[in-house]
Amino acid sequence: TTTTTTSTTTLTTIPPPATTTLAATTPLIATTAATPAALGDAVLRIDCGATVPYTDTQGNVWAADEYFNVGNLNEIGPEAIANTNDPVLYQSHRWGAPEDPDMQYSLPLYPGQFTLVLHFCETWMQFPGERQFSVTVLGNAIPALSTIDLVAAAGYMVAYKIAVPGITVGADGFLNLTFVRAVENPLVSAIEVYSQITPTTTTPTTT
């Protein structure tokens, strides 16, 4: 079970999969689309598990944790996180306890098309299979967010993010995320939402 106790044990970071070739400061990323969607402005940034806002190395401001229903915060302190210039984002997370309902975030947006980016970092479990969970978006299962195993996907103490483009938020304006437990407790380190730019299609006219 996840705990707020800070580990001082020195552990070897499990490397990313051999097929992944990314710069050392680029968070590992999975996406549900072969071609990433064109992103507009960031409309929401949340540093999950944080109690104060955070300004990242690019000057972006991340709000303290909000819009959740249940869960506990965990902070590990200033420990090294691989594959990011902003380890602070990954040194805290919100996790859902087994005695609580499924952890949810209800993000206040507006009707439109969005790309969701979820940030994760496994700071407790060290081996594949020890933590697995899924995230539904507006009640729908998303393949890229099914059976998330952070150690298997990225490694221990490694920043990892998953982008989900093409999300349509309806008239109520809320983007609802549900974190569903499979093995151990689900967690999330940070959440970003971007407006999505839809390419303009020109319909040819017959002359």
Side-chain angles (χ1 to χ4, degrees):
T1 302
T2 305
T3 169
T4 57
T5 302
T6 301
S7 172
T8 57
T9 304
T10 301
L11 297 167
T12 301
T13 300
I14 300 172
T19 55
T20 302
T21 54
L22 294 170
T25 56
T26 302
L28 304 178
I29 184 167
T31 179
T32 60
T35 302
L39 298 180
D41 295 330
V43 295
L44 188 69
R45 286 189 172 100
I46 299 173
D47 185 1
C48 302
T51 57
V52 296
Y54 169 66
T55 301
D56 66 24
T57 54
Q58 301 299 311
N60 302 310
V61 178
W62 299 70
D65 206 355
E66 58 186 347
Y67 306 131
F68 53 85
N69 64 336
V70 295
N72 302 275
L73 64 85
N74 182 65
E75 295 180 297
I76 64 168
E79 297 198 25
I81 305 294
N83 291 307
T84 180
N85 285 326
D86 289 288
V88 171
L89 282 176
Y90 302 94
Q91 290 167 352
S92 67
H93 62 249
R94 178 162 293 276
W95 59 277
E99 64 270 17
D100 289 336
D102 286 336
M103 184 173 72
Q104 296 180 333
Y105 279 81
S106 292
L107 308 177
L109 302 177
Y110 49 85
Q113 288 267 316
F114 299 91
T115 291
L116 169 71
V117 182
L118 296 179
H119 296 250
F120 303 99
C121 184
E122 180 56 76
T123 61
W124 191 257
M125 302 303 178
Q126 301 169 39
F127 300 100
E130 290 188 321
R131 186 195 310 276
Q132 295 180 342
F133 60 96
S134 300
V135 184
T136 64
V137 178
L138 294 170
N140 299 304
I142 305 293
L145 299 177
S146 297
T147 317
I148 297 169
D149 185 326
L150 299 176
V151 174
Y156 173 75
M157 301 290 277
V158 179
Y160 179 68
K161 61 183 178 179
I162 302 175
V164 183
I167 297 172
T168 300
V169 172
D172 69 352
F174 281 89
L175 175 53
N176 298 314
L177 311 176
T178 302
F179 294 75
V180 183
R181 177 182 298 99
V183 179
E184 264 292 342
N185 303 313
L187 62 82
V188 61
S189 299
I191 300 171
E192 283 182 288
V193 181
Y194 291 87
S195 61
Q196 189 167 305
I197 299 173
T198 304
T200 301
T201 302
T202 302
T203 303
T205 57
T206 303
T207 58

